């Protein structure tokens, strides 16, 4: 059956079209309240996770965990993301995106409190609960942006929430350890400080539940996971490979620099510098690419910068500032693009949720394997040369996936 021309009229009236799928021109301009609500959700997507790294030595000492169990505690959120993300699209279709987001924020608050209770069982149980809630937020936010934001604003709003997410992640890493030394309850209380932002986000989205009708009750069809779409797989691999580079750098960059002769203090500052450059890159990308719908070469170029950063660490480790600059510039841009593609490449909010679920379930599974793979390669070769070379090669693979994911088309236009 030949495809219907783009100019052909649809077979139902505008009133029958779900609000989430109406043309972009019919949507209102982005309000300040919506942007603030989106940013409050973004503030919760990493805050409760990144503080664990800074507190891990105290957690291990205070709870009696071995290093292996401490590593599992750090990897558990990524594994939970991978397991939970595919469930979000169907749940969103049944209950409504805004309603589900409010529920997930409530669960996130509960999980954060449970994790701080005095027991190792609560520590791991709370981590799983809050990670599952964050996975829902990770998938729902691109779908809500696709539904509520005009097409030409999607990348800007996505960049803003990525910036807030990264900023809060850095703040959490910085304040968690000092809080543990000053507040009653030590590290357990420090693990829960981010719940204040969870409550704020919950209150901001609570009024937005009104009018958020589930697609199932309005006759809307559930969007299946696009397993057979080449474009969806390109978005998925781009998401996964750029996540692998980020989480691997966060986990091992200081160790790599120390092994190459950098002091521990300087290596810590280099990790901070890398995150600052990444934030700057994610903030500036929309300004540099304004009006461009085709993002193929932007995604490929950003990925090549990441590959270049790992290459510098191999060939000229003394140039660590240059390496961290390249990694930050490329990584920040890749993250914005990876999240933006999950909204832009979908033809509806339902498709956006399905695509985001696919991209993030597989993507975070790939990301979880990155730090482990790098550690195994280092232990096997007793050198960082092979692991960094593998990361540089994967950076080129990311460029290939990004070039495909960046093309200006929707899943409905993609050959199956």
């Amino acid at each position: 059956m030949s495809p219907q021309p783009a100019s052909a009229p649809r077979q139902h009236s505008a009133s029958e079209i779900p609000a989430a799928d109406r043309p972009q021109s019919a949507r209102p301009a982005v309000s300040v309240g919506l942007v603030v609500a989106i940013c409050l959700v973004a503030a919760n997507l990493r805050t409760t996770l990144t503080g664990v790294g800074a507190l891990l030595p105290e957690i291990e000492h205070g709870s009696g965990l071995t290093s292996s169990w401490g590593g599992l505690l750090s990897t558990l959120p990524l594994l939970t993301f991978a397991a939970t993300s595919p469930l979000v699209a169907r749940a969103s279709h049944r209950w409504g995106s805004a309603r589900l987001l409010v529920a997930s924020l409530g669960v996130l608050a509960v999980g954060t409190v449970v994790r701080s209770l005095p027991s190792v069982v609560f520590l791991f149980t709370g981590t799983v609960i809050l990670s599952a809630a964050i996975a829902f937020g990770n998938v729902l936010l691109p779908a809500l942006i696709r539904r509520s934001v005009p097409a030409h604003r999607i990348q800007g709003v996505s960049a803003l929430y990525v910036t807030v997410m990264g900023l809060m992640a850095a703040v959490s890493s910085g304040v968690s350890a000092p809080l543990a030394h000053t507040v009653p309850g030590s590290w357990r209380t420090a693990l829960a400080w981010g719940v204040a932002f969870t409550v704020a986000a919950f209150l901001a989205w609570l009024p937005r539940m009104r009018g958020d009708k589930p697609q199932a009750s309005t006759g809307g069809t559930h969007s299946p996971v696009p397993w057979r779409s080449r474009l969806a797989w390109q978005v998925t691999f781009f998401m996964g490979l750029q996540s692998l580079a980020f989480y691997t750098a966060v986990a091992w960059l200081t160790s790599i620099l120390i092994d190459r002769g950098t002091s521990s203090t300087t290596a810590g500052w280099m990790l901070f510098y890398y995150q600052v450059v990444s934030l700057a890159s994610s903030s500036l990308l929309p300004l540099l690419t304004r009006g461009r719908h085709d993002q193929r070469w932007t995604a490929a170029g950003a990925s090549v910068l990441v590959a270049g950063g790992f290459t510098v660490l191999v060939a000229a480790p003394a140039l660590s500032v240059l390496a961290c600059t390249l990694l930050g510039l490329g990584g920040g841009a890749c993250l914005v693009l990876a999240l933006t593609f999950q909204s832009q490449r979908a033809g509806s909010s339902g498709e956006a949720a399905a695509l985001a679920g696919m991209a993030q379930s597989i993507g975070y599974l790939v990301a979880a394997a990155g730090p482990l793979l790098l550690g195994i390669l280092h232990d096997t070769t007793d050198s960082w040369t092979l692991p960094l070379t593998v990361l540089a090669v994967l950076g080129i693979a990311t460029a290939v996936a990004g070039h495909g994911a960046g093309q200006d088309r929707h899943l409905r236009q993609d050959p199956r």
Side-chain angles (χ1 to χ4, degrees):
M1 183 176 178
S2 59
Q4 190 179 22
S7 59
R10 302 184 68 175
Q11 299 303 311
H12 41 62
S13 67
S15 61
E16 296 172 316
I17 305 173
D21 298 339
R22 290 178 186 171
Q24 295 279 2
S25 58
R27 300 177 192 174
V30 183
S31 66
V32 174
L34 176 62
V35 173
V36 170
I38 289 172
C39 288
L40 283 172
V41 174
N44 287 277
L45 297 182
R46 282 188 182 172
T47 302
T48 55
L49 302 178
T50 55
V52 173
L55 294 170
L56 194 55
E58 295 187 43
I59 293 174
E60 291 176 351
H61 180 266
S63 61
L65 293 178
T66 64
S67 296
S68 298
W69 282 101
L72 176 61
L73 184 65
S74 300
T75 307
L76 196 55
L78 296 176
L79 298 176
T80 305
F81 290 169
T84 307
S85 297
L87 308 176
V88 181
R90 185 173 295 276
S92 174
H93 174 76
R94 181 173 182 179
W95 303 105
S97 297
R99 293 180 181 180
L100 196 59
L101 181 61
V102 170
S104 68
L105 289 168
V107 173
L108 175 57
V110 171
T112 303
V113 173
V114 169
R115 184 179 62 171
S116 298
L117 297 177
S119 168
V120 172
V121 174
F122 287 135
L123 178 64
F124 281 88
T125 301
T127 297
V128 172
I129 293 173
L130 68 87
S131 298
I134 291 173
F136 272 74
N138 283 334
V139 175
L140 289 170
L141 209 49
L144 286 165
I145 290 174
R146 175 64 181 80
R147 183 181 74 178
S148 308
V149 176
H152 66 286
R153 298 289 187 187
I154 287 178
Q155 188 179 62
V157 173
S158 298
L160 180 60
Y161 96 70
V162 168
T163 300
V164 172
M165 186 170 64
L167 179 61
M168 291 305 301
V171 169
S172 181
S173 297
V175 306
S176 293
L179 276 176
H181 297 135
T182 57
V183 297
S186 186
W187 58 267
R188 296 188 184 279
T189 304
L191 281 176
W193 77 272
V195 74
F197 290 96
T198 310
V199 173
F202 180 88
L203 295 176
W205 279 93
L206 203 56
R208 297 181 179 276
M209 291 174 56
R210 294 194 297 267
D212 180 47
K213 297 181 180 179
Q215 292 187 40
S217 66
T218 59
T221 58
H222 169 64
S223 297
V225 179
W227 297 116
R228 298 176 60 189
S229 167
R230 181 178 60 184
L231 178 60
W233 279 107
Q234 289 167 331
V235 172
T236 296
F237 281 126
F238 184 66
M239 175 68 188
L241 290 172
Q242 67 84 27
S243 295
L244 182 149
F246 170 78
Y247 285 105
T248 302
V250 168
W252 291 110
L253 183 59
T254 53
S255 298
I256 292 170
L257 294 177
I258 291 172
D259 188 70
R260 298 299 176 93
T262 305
S263 69
S264 59
T265 300
T266 303
W269 281 112
M270 283 294 98
L271 180 60
F272 175 77
Y273 172 72
Y274 157 68
Q275 295 186 70
V276 169
V277 174
S278 179
L279 282 174
S281 176
S282 62
S283 301
L284 293 175
L285 181 68
L287 299 178
L288 299 176
T289 59
R290 180 177 297 173
R292 298 181 186 176
H293 298 290
D294 192 313
Q295 303 285 353
R296 288 178 295 177
W297 293 109
T298 305
S303 303
V304 169
L305 287 178
V306 174
F310 289 125
T311 302
V312 171
L313 287 176
V314 174
L319 300 177
S320 58
V321 174
L322 174 61
C324 290
T325 301
L326 294 174
L327 290 171
L329 288 174
C334 282
L335 178 57
V336 171
L337 291 169
L339 296 174
T340 301
F341 292 161
Q342 294 169 36
S343 298
Q344 286 183 333
R345 300 299 164 252
S348 68
S349 60
E351 282 189 356
L355 177 58
M358 174 182 172
Q360 295 189 34
S361 61
I362 296 175
Y364 284 119
L365 190 61
V366 171
L372 177 61
L373 174 63
L374 211 71
I376 292 173
L377 291 175
H378 176 257
D379 290 342
T380 302
T381 63
D382 196 27
S383 169
W384 288 110
T385 299
L386 178 59
L388 289 171
T389 302
V390 170
L391 288 175
V393 172
L394 289 177
I396 301 303
T398 309
V400 174
H403 186 271
Q407 56 189 308
D408 184 21
R409 60 187 300 126
H410 291 161
L411 295 179
R412 293 173 182 173
Q413 304 168 323
D414 188 47
R416 303 294 172 114

